[in-house]
Amino acid sequence: MKQILLSLELLKIEIANTIGTQVLYCRSGGGAGSILLLKLSNGNRIMAWRYWEIYKNNNLLCTAEDDTTAVYGIISQTAPLLENKIVENISFDLYHISIFLSDNYNLKIYSVKDVYDDLPNWNYSIPDKNIVYEITSNLEIECKSWQ
C-alpha cells in the first residue's frame, strides 16, 4: 500500500467530480454501527467513519449518534432517503464537508482529531483510479493506493 500526504485543495478538485452524480446506495446502521456509505453513479464512494448528520429542509433528521438498530433504528431508516438524490453542491470547512443534494437534503460530515484512535474520519474512494483519499484521525489527507 502506497500513501502520500495531500493538500485539501487537491481533494477538493477531485471530489468536485461528484457534483451532478446520483446517490445509488446509502446505508448505515445494523452491524456497521454508524459508519455511513454512499455509492455514487460515477462509481465513486464516500464513507463516513465518525460523526455525520443528515438534514432535510434544514431540519435535522438523524446523526451518527442515533439508534443504529438494523432495519428499525432511525439511522437504518434515514440513510436510504439519500438514494436517488443528485449531488448539487459540495462545500468544505477545513476538514468538514457538506454535501448538498436534490430535494433539499444535506449530509454534513465532520472531522475530529483523535490521537488515541487511528480510525479515519471519512474517505472518498475512486475505484477506477484505484485510490482512496482519506481524512485521518490526525486531520491529515492521505492518498492510498492498494497496488
Side-chain angles (χ1 to χ4, degrees):
M1 175 184 356
K2 299 176 187 174
Q3 296 183 44
I4 55 172
L5 296 178
L6 297 174
S7 74
L8 185 58
E9 293 307 312
L10 290 174
L11 175 59
K12 288 179 182 180
I13 290 167
E14 195 69 69
I15 206 166
N17 294 323
T18 299
I19 296 172
T21 62
Q22 183 178 26
V23 176
L24 299 179
Y25 178 89
C26 185
R27 291 291 186 276
S28 186
S34 63
I35 297 170
L36 181 73
L37 171 64
L38 280 84
K39 293 182 180 180
L40 305 168
S41 60
N42 64 356
N44 299 347
R45 296 171 176 86
I46 298 171
M47 185 171 276
W49 296 85
R50 291 184 182 263
Y51 188 74
W52 51 264
E53 299 170 340
I54 296 175
Y55 291 82
K56 166 109 172 132
N57 297 320
N58 295 318
N59 294 313
L60 182 62
L61 298 180
C62 79
T63 77
E65 295 179 347
D66 286 327
D67 181 6
T68 62
T69 303
V71 183
Y72 301 108
I74 189 166
I75 287 177
S76 298
Q77 292 184 358
T78 304
L81 295 176
L82 301 184
E83 292 177 358
N84 301 312
K85 305 299 182 255
I86 303 297
V87 177
E88 295 180 340
N89 201 3
I90 297 174
S91 69
F92 282 84
D93 181 9
L94 291 176
Y95 298 105
H96 313 301
I97 185 173
S98 291
I99 303 169
F100 299 93
L101 302 153
S102 56
D103 297 332
N104 295 312
Y105 282 92
N106 183 3
L107 170 61
K108 294 183 180 184
I109 303 173
Y110 297 90
S111 298
V112 295
K113 186 167 182 126
D114 187 345
V115 297
Y116 301 107
D117 186 358
D118 63 353
L119 188 69
N121 280 289
W122 61 275
N123 65 35
Y124 178 64
S125 63
I126 308 170
D128 288 346
K129 293 183 179 180
N130 197 30
I131 57 176
V132 177
Y133 294 94
E134 183 173 283
I135 306 296
T136 71
S137 59
N138 289 320
L139 298 181
E140 296 174 327
I141 300 171
E142 294 180 350
C143 179
K144 297 183 177 187
S145 173
W146 300 105
Q147 297 179 0

